[in-house]
Amino acid sequence: MYTPAITGSGVFTPENVITNAELVTAFNKYADKMNAQNADAIAAGEIEPMQHSSEEFIFKASGIEKRYVMDKDGVLDPDVMHPLLRQRGDDEPGIMTEMAVDACKKALEQAGRSAEDVDLVICAASNHERAYPAVAIEIQQALGINGFGFDMNVACSSATFGIQAAADMVRSGSVRAALVVNPEICSGHLEWRDRDCHFIFGDVATATLIERVEDAKGPHFEILSTRCATEFSNNIRNNNGFLRRSRPDGVVDRRDMQFMQNGRKVFKEVLPMVSRHISDHMDAEGVNSDDLKRLWLHQANKTMNDFIGKKVLGREPEASEQPNILQDYANTSSAGSIIAFSKYSDDLSEGDVGLICSFGAGYSVGSVIVKRHS
């Protein structure tokens, strides 16, 4: 049995930025247009008028200030309100592969590795641009990696579930090294026309390289333990899928074909589940709250992270102990905790212990306890 370690990480950040101000302007124009088109029904009391959004509302609800996206023109067009991505031929790399390759190359460079050193690619994301062939295999080919690859989807927990799968295979000796990559085009499944959620998501890709600790060429994080859990819930759901056209009204513009959540129930049910999961994981591994130097949490909502951090540490966490990146990136689904890890881990010292945690639809939660070696 081998000991797995995270030896490199990388982040691909899109060029396009949408600020809260830009988003509010576009949404309010859309709301005005819809209210004008439905003026008679609104006057008759048949439907409610759409309310305006505001920068204050967005920041108070989430802590988000801006987000990166693959396309902003379509999102900010009141007549479109979704990304506009060019049609690609089957002989071209997919957009997720382009994002993933950038993040993977950065992770490999940080670890001092090349494609020849990798045996496995796991593309772990909340959405994949097609059913098959697996995006992971396309990424594998683009990087020139021998071995194998597969896709994984556990919604916002995909990254930590992917790390557990990779770590288990490294531990058993079935692979020497694995890339877990999380290309998240969340702008594609967000309903930008819904005031309650139009500000939540952004796009990004992250990657982590997991290999045997004895093969590490530089600073790395030994994976002490991983733990995953799921519990079925409909409170975060997207009903889009390959059977859509086979069902009555399947191809009409239906609200449930995009991201949907019952925010209050999610907040009430997920927070205790995640806090308990982390605490139980730490207890099982003999890690006390005083031993934990860093929490890299899923980046969905600042209030949620503050609550979890306080429960886990038994006090208000310092900003350095629980770094947030969602103010700049928004919710990037499975990639959020890995962005935080990649950007806020180099300063840890030899022997410092930290915990990566992601959680979301399913419900699902995954945690990874790591120790820094310099």
Side-chain angles (χ1 to χ4, degrees):
M1 299 291 285
Y2 300 92
T3 300
I6 299 174
T7 59
S9 63
V11 179
F12 163 80
T13 302
E15 295 180 357
N16 298 309
V17 178
I18 298 179
T19 65
N20 285 351
E22 291 176 299
L23 194 62
V24 166
T25 297
F27 179 86
N28 290 347
K29 286 181 179 178
Y30 172 78
D32 290 342
K33 183 185 76 167
M34 295 305 297
N35 288 339
Q37 290 178 358
N38 296 282
D40 291 343
I42 292 172
E46 297 170 1
I47 61 173
E48 292 292 324
M50 290 190 67
Q51 297 180 29
H52 277 189
S53 186
S54 71
E55 295 177 65
E56 294 77 17
F57 162 70
I58 292 173
F59 186 76
K60 183 177 179 180
S62 65
I64 296 168
E65 298 177 6
K66 63 181 182 180
R67 69 283 299 144
Y68 295 92
V69 293
M70 297 303 290
D71 170 73
K72 66 183 293 184
D73 293 338
V75 171
L76 297 180
D77 186 341
D79 294 321
V80 180
M81 301 295 279
H82 60 73
L84 294 172
L85 307 175
R86 74 174 179 86
Q87 184 68 45
R88 298 183 181 220
D90 290 348
D91 58 343
E92 294 182 88
I95 187 170
M96 290 183 73
T97 293
E98 282 190 356
M99 299 167 67
V101 165
D102 181 277
C104 287
K105 286 182 175 179
K106 290 172 180 173
L108 289 169
E109 181 180 4
Q110 186 180 83
R113 292 295 182 184
S114 68
E116 297 176 353
D117 301 309
V118 182
D119 302 316
L120 165 66
V121 176
I122 302 176
C123 181
S126 57
N127 295 280
H128 294 85
E129 61 181 296
R130 60 174 182 270
Y132 45 82
V135 177
I137 302 175
E138 184 180 20
I139 296 167
Q140 174 195 350
Q141 180 192 49
L143 290 169
I145 292 172
N146 294 319
F148 65 105
F150 60 86
D151 291 346
M152 175 186 285
N153 182 346
V154 202
C156 291
S157 299
S158 296
T160 47
F161 276 62
I163 289 174
Q164 171 163 312
D168 286 348
M169 282 187 265
V170 169
R171 187 178 289 109
S172 70
S174 62
V175 302
R176 298 169 303 162
L179 276 167
V180 179
V181 58
N182 324 107
E184 294 284 10
I185 310 180
C186 300
S187 61
H189 80 141
L190 178 59
E191 182 51 89
W192 297 92
R193 301 171 296 182
D194 187 330
R195 179 181 180 271
D196 289 339
C197 71
H198 76 111
F199 52 86
I200 291 179
F201 289 110
D203 301 336
V204 79
T206 54
T208 48
L209 180 67
I210 293 92
E211 56 181 323
R212 300 170 183 176
V213 70
E214 58 263 37
D215 293 338
K217 289 187 171 184
H220 57 278
F221 285 86
E222 176 188 353
I223 297 176
L224 299 179
S225 178
T226 59
R227 178 176 289 198
C228 297
T230 54
E231 180 181 313
F232 185 74
S233 170
N234 273 319
N235 287 322
I236 310 173
R237 190 175 179 99
N238 184 327
N239 283 328
N240 206 349
F242 81 101
L243 292 177
R244 183 175 180 180
R245 70 173 184 174
S246 67
R247 292 169 173 161
D249 298 325
V251 295
V252 299
D253 183 12
R254 283 168 39 195
R255 177 66 187 88
D256 66 322
M257 294 301 168
Q258 306 299 334
F259 165 83
M260 295 183 66
Q261 75 168 353
N262 185 328
R264 289 186 176 140
K265 282 192 174 181
V266 170
F267 196 94
K268 181 179 178 180
E269 295 170 2
V270 167
L271 292 185
M273 176 185 178
V274 174
S275 302
R276 183 172 60 251
H277 175 93
I278 294 175
S279 296
D280 290 348
H281 191 186
M282 290 170 57
D283 288 345
E285 298 303 319
V287 177
N288 298 318
S289 59
D290 292 341
D291 300 327
L292 205 61
K293 301 300 182 183
R294 189 74 36 97
L295 269 171
W296 300 285
L297 295 177
H298 173 51
Q299 303 288 309
N301 182 290
K302 185 178 184 301
T303 302
M304 295 180 79
N305 282 5
D306 290 345
F307 179 94
I308 293 168
K310 186 174 182 180
K311 282 287 186 181
V312 171
L313 298 179
R315 55 176 171 78
E316 294 287 345
E318 300 290 337
S320 61
E321 293 177 304
Q322 182 194 288
N324 289 323
I325 53 86
L326 82 164
Q327 67 275 5
D328 297 320
Y329 281 85
N331 184 341
T332 50
S333 194
S334 71
S337 59
I338 306 302
I339 301 172
F341 171 79
S342 185
K343 290 183 176 292
Y344 297 98
S345 58
D346 289 345
D347 62 318
L348 293 188
S349 302
E350 174 69 31
D352 282 349
V353 174
L355 185 142
I356 305 168
C357 182
S358 57
F359 49 88
Y363 297 131
S364 58
V365 55
S367 52
V368 183
I369 300 176
V370 295
K371 178 186 286 188
R372 171 77 171 186
H373 295 294
S374 52

